């Protein structure tokens, strides 16, 4: 007769090997036989939590409700270089809009897509509805709290018996007196149930029982306050926790609060103080780089990313951001080396081959261009990625002078992604060269309505209107182009020519 492993030890073994579903099932079997087994109950809670666990530090997406109904007082006209809301306020001389594309809020595109990198705080509800909240969709979430609920309940929907614990029936004060059990229960309620109010009540009781000396509970209360939008209360809790115990996570949470309050300089100071206590900590250096990037201070961001690579030379985000910075600084050969490094590290996706193809084209390594783009197309996971590859192939076609191929590539871009404003703009230019004025006008109007943050459609429309003699329309569009990109020399020259013409009338 073979020896059988104790079911609870077997479940613990599954948990350590991150086989959480198997662990949960075994714990359920144990609980059916002995409903009062506290160890099995606790282990099942932890397994269910780990299945839906989301790192609070990295998740930072605002919904429309959070942005438009935010009651925190923030200066409407901030000083240059002190706000994340106002584009182009960084002191660093980064590439201009003419060289590096920008998001709807005026921030340069980063080399690595993170939550909220595609957007910022919109000024109106109309702009909020148009602003992309993620890399793939222009449709924003209605509220972040709704998203957390959907994340948390995903695994419960598959459970035929309903939720494992009915939190509303628990006496949280009793559980708060048992520290180990209370911590497991808090993680379950906060992550699995996404019930912030009950999680906050449990954390408050546990803090009282710990006589306000347990830093861990203070961090959890801060997380609850943050998710509820009470940023000043969250700041107080995180500061109190840091006074008791220095932890990198707490520093990151505190900096995140200041970023949400639109105080990037304070967030940078928090990171600097953290680096004094934790020298060379990669997550702190990376946080500083992200804030510099959001403030349009590209040169400082690049320095921080280089510091990250000194500590961790396999940090994907740092390598990708430095590569994109070199590419937009007219150094495609150096960018190519960084992207090849990512390829050597085992990253194998459509975006990487797309970037390799572009770097090869601008570095004049023509033998590698088509194979890179073919690989990018074969690896494209969705239509948006395929659209980006066809768009870049269109640029290659323009570069080699094949306008018919370029026209086909831009059409294929729109077939994959009908909201690709840059393709509409480029198709309009090709139609203008063919003499199809009406078609070009329609494409430009479409491009400017889809992407109001782009200056190119307005400027091209101004040039087109001037050619056909509609000087009033040309002046209006040139002014719009100048509003979006005040440093654009061609727009300024066109406006001056039109002013002289009007003066002679």
């Amino acid at each position: 007769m073979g020896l059988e492993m104790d079911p609870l030890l077997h479940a613990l073994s599954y948990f350590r090997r991150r086989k959480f579903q198997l662990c949960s099932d075994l714990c359920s079997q144990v609980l059916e036989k002995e409903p009062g087994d506290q160890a099995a109950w606790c282990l099942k809670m932890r397994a269910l939590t780990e299945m839906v666990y989301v790192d609070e530090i990295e998740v930072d997406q605002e919904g429309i409700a959070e942005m438009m109904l935010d009651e925190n007082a923030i200066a409407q006209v901030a000083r240059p270089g002190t706000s994340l809301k106002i584009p182009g306020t960084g002191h660093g001389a980064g590439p201009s809009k003419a060289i590096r594309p920008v998001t709807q809020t005026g921030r340069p595109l980063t080399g690595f897509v993170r939550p909220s990198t595609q957007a910022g705080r919109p000024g109106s509800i109309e702009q909020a509805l148009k602003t992309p909240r993620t890399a793939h969709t222009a449709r924003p979430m209605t509220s972040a709290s709704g998203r957390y609920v959907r994340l948390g309940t995903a695994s419960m929907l598959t459970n035929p018996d309903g939720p494992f614990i009915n939190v509303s029936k628990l006496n949280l004060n009793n559980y708060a007196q048992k520290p180990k059990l209370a911590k497991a229960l808090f993680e379950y309620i906060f992550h699995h149930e996404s019930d912030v109010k009950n999680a906050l009540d449990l954390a408050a009781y546990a803090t009282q029982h710990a006589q306000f000396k347990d830093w861990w509970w203070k961090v959890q209360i801060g997380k609850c306050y943050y998710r509820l939008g009470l940023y000043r209360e969250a700041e107080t809790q995180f500061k109190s926790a840091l006074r008791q115990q220095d932890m990198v996570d707490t520093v990151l949470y505190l900096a995140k609060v200041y970023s949400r309050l639109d105080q990037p300089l304070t967030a940078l100071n928090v990171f600097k103080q953290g680096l004094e206590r934790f020298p060379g900590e990669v997550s702190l250096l990376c946080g500083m780089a992200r804030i510099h990037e959001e403030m349009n201070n590209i040169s400082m961001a690049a320095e921080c990313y280089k510091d990250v690579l000194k500590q961790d030379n396999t940090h994907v985000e740092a390598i990708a951001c430095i590569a994109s910075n070199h590419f937009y600084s007219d150094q495609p050969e150096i960018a190519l080396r960084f992207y090849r490094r990512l390829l050597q590290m085992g990253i194998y996706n459509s975006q990487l081959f797309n970037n390799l193809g572009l770097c090869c084209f601008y570095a004049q390594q023509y033998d590698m261009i088509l194979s890179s783009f073919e690989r990018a197309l074969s690896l494209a996971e969705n239509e948006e990625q395929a659209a980006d590859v066809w768009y870049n192939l269109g640029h290659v076609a323009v570069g080699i002078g094949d306008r018919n191929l370029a026209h086909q590539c831009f059409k294929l871009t729109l077939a994959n992604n009908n909201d690709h404003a840059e393709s509409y703009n480029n198709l309009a230019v090709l139609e203008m060269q063919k003499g199809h004025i009406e078609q070009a006008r329609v494409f430009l109007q479409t491009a400017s309505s889809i992407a109001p943050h782009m200056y190119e459609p307005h400027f091209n429309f101004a040039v087109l209107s001037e050619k056909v003699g509609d000087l009033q329309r040309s002046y209006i569009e040139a002014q719009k182009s100048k509003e979006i990109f005040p440093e654009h020399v061609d727009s300024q020259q066109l406006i001056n020519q039109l002013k002289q013409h009007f003066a002679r009338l």
Side-chain angles (χ1 to χ4, degrees):
M1 179 180 171
L3 289 172
E4 280 195 16
M5 193 173 181
D6 180 73
L8 195 61
L9 281 174
H10 200 177
L12 194 58
S13 171
Y14 278 137
F15 183 84
R16 285 177 175 163
R17 287 180 282 157
R18 302 190 65 80
K19 295 181 178 179
F20 301 121
Q21 187 61 55
L22 292 170
C23 172
S24 171
D25 295 342
L26 258 180
C27 289
S28 300
Q29 291 171 22
V30 173
L31 287 168
E32 280 172 18
K33 294 174 186 172
E34 297 178 44
D37 191 330
Q38 204 175 92
W41 191 70
C42 193
L43 186 58
K44 182 171 178 180
M45 270 197 304
R46 290 196 60 194
L48 290 172
T49 304
E50 289 292 337
M51 276 194 269
V52 294
Y53 183 82
V54 178
D55 188 356
E56 289 290 302
I57 295 168
E58 290 298 324
V59 174
D60 195 14
Q61 287 181 316
E62 284 182 289
I64 295 177
E66 282 76 12
M67 288 183 296
M68 304 313 297
L69 306 176
D70 187 2
E71 293 180 350
N72 293 291
I74 292 175
Q76 294 300 311
V77 184
R79 294 198 312 273
T82 62
S83 172
L84 299 173
K85 286 170 63 177
I86 305 170
T89 56
H91 352 271
S96 73
K97 286 185 186 180
I99 299 169
R100 186 170 188 159
V102 295
T103 63
Q104 183 131 350
T105 49
R107 282 165 44 190
L109 285 178
T110 58
F112 191 86
V113 175
R114 301 180 296 269
S116 81
T117 51
Q118 299 296 97
R121 281 178 172 269
S124 66
I125 195 74
E126 290 83 8
Q127 193 182 350
L129 287 166
K130 289 178 181 175
T131 305
R133 305 304 303 158
T134 67
H136 303 301
T137 175
R139 180 76 187 99
M141 304 171 298
T142 47
S143 80
S145 53
R147 178 174 181 274
Y148 288 123
V149 171
R150 285 195 294 279
L151 280 171
T153 52
S155 64
M156 286 180 359
L157 295 173
T158 60
N159 190 348
D161 305 322
F164 170 49
I165 299 171
N166 192 341
V167 180
S168 59
K169 292 183 179 178
L170 295 181
N171 185 339
L172 297 174
N173 199 2
N174 288 346
Y175 287 97
Q177 295 172 31
K178 303 169 183 173
K180 295 277 170 59
L181 192 61
K183 288 182 179 181
L185 183 59
F186 175 87
E187 294 282 3
Y188 174 83
I189 297 171
F190 188 77
H191 290 286
H192 194 278
E193 299 276 348
S194 292
D195 186 348
V196 182
K197 187 182 180 304
N198 277 319
L200 182 58
D201 289 344
L202 176 60
Y205 290 136
T207 309
Q208 287 173 2
H209 285 295
Q211 298 178 336
F212 303 96
K213 291 178 181 174
D214 191 337
W215 65 272
W216 190 88
W217 282 113
K218 291 184 179 179
V219 171
Q220 306 318 308
I221 293 173
K223 282 161 64 175
C224 292
Y225 280 141
Y226 182 88
R227 198 179 277 191
L228 290 168
L230 302 169
Y231 302 125
R232 287 299 178 191
E233 288 82 352
E235 174 196 4
T236 307
Q237 294 294 332
F238 291 139
K239 280 184 171 177
S240 178
L242 274 175
R243 279 195 292 272
Q244 286 185 349
Q245 177 74 41
D246 261 345
M247 293 295 288
V248 175
D249 276 11
T250 317
V251 175
L252 292 168
Y253 284 128
L254 186 57
K256 189 176 162 186
V257 168
Y258 286 126
S259 293
R260 185 57 63 87
L261 286 170
D262 196 28
Q263 295 182 4
L265 298 184
T266 315
L268 284 173
N269 284 334
V270 168
F271 281 129
K272 284 171 186 169
Q273 289 165 13
L275 282 169
E276 287 171 10
R277 301 191 294 272
F278 303 100
E281 173 57 43
V282 169
S283 54
L284 299 179
L285 289 166
C286 198
M288 286 180 71
R290 290 176 182 180
I291 288 180
H292 282 306
E293 209 164 37
E294 286 184 47
M295 291 170 69
N296 217 345
N297 196 347
I298 303 297
S299 54
M300 278 301 294
E303 288 301 316
C304 290
Y305 280 127
K306 285 173 184 172
D307 289 339
V308 169
L309 289 182
K310 285 174 189 171
Q311 305 297 330
D312 176 10
N313 59 10
T314 59
H315 198 278
V316 175
E317 182 181 338
I319 296 172
C321 289
I322 290 173
S324 75
N325 189 37
H326 280 301
F327 179 78
Y328 288 118
S329 302
D330 202 20
Q331 296 172 322
E333 297 89 353
I334 301 173
L336 188 59
R337 286 168 56 190
F338 280 98
Y339 285 128
R340 282 177 59 193
R341 167 73 176 152
L342 288 176
L343 199 60
Q344 288 166 352
M345 282 164 53
I347 293 169
Y348 197 78
N349 58 28
S350 176
Q351 295 94 326
L352 181 56
F353 279 104
N354 186 21
N355 293 347
L356 281 167
L358 276 176
C359 289
C360 288
F361 176 65
Y362 286 106
Q364 298 180 3
Q365 297 185 16
Y366 297 122
D367 53 332
M368 292 290 293
I369 298 171
L370 285 178
S371 59
S372 295
F373 282 125
E374 280 174 3
R375 192 69 56 85
L377 277 173
S378 67
L379 292 170
E381 293 173 1
N382 52 46
E383 290 180 335
E384 282 85 359
Q385 289 181 12
D388 286 339
V389 180
W390 282 117
Y391 174 70
N392 289 323
L393 272 167
H395 268 289
V396 172
V398 169
I400 61 175
D402 191 338
R403 290 182 188 172
N404 290 330
L405 177 59
H407 194 273
Q408 281 182 309
C409 288
F410 293 134
K411 282 283 188 184
L412 282 164
T413 304
L414 295 177
N416 283 290
N417 179 7
N418 201 33
D419 287 337
H420 206 280
E422 291 89 346
S423 288
Y424 281 114
N425 179 62
N426 291 1
L427 275 172
V429 174
L430 292 173
E431 295 292 352
M432 278 166 65
Q433 291 174 345
K434 291 179 183 176
H436 302 160
I437 303 299
E438 282 305 314
Q439 189 71 37
R441 183 177 285 143
V442 170
F443 281 142
L444 288 170
Q445 285 173 335
T446 308
S448 57
S449 64
I450 291 172
H453 62 285
M454 281 174 57
Y455 74 93
E456 291 96 335
H458 293 295
F459 175 70
N460 290 334
F461 203 173
V463 171
L464 176 66
S465 301
E466 196 233 358
K467 280 185 180 175
V468 298
D470 187 352
L471 301 184
Q472 184 66 29
R473 168 60 63 186
S474 177
Y475 184 75
I476 292 168
E477 293 296 328
Q479 286 283 18
K480 286 180 182 175
S481 172
K482 190 183 173 186
E483 277 174 31
I484 297 168
F485 183 21
E487 295 86 27
H488 191 227
V489 177
D490 292 339
S491 295
Q492 294 170 0
Q493 288 177 347
L494 182 57
I495 289 170
N496 290 334
Q497 285 174 17
L498 291 168
K499 279 181 177 175
Q500 288 171 9
H501 184 79
F502 293 146
R504 286 199 297 269
L505 291 175

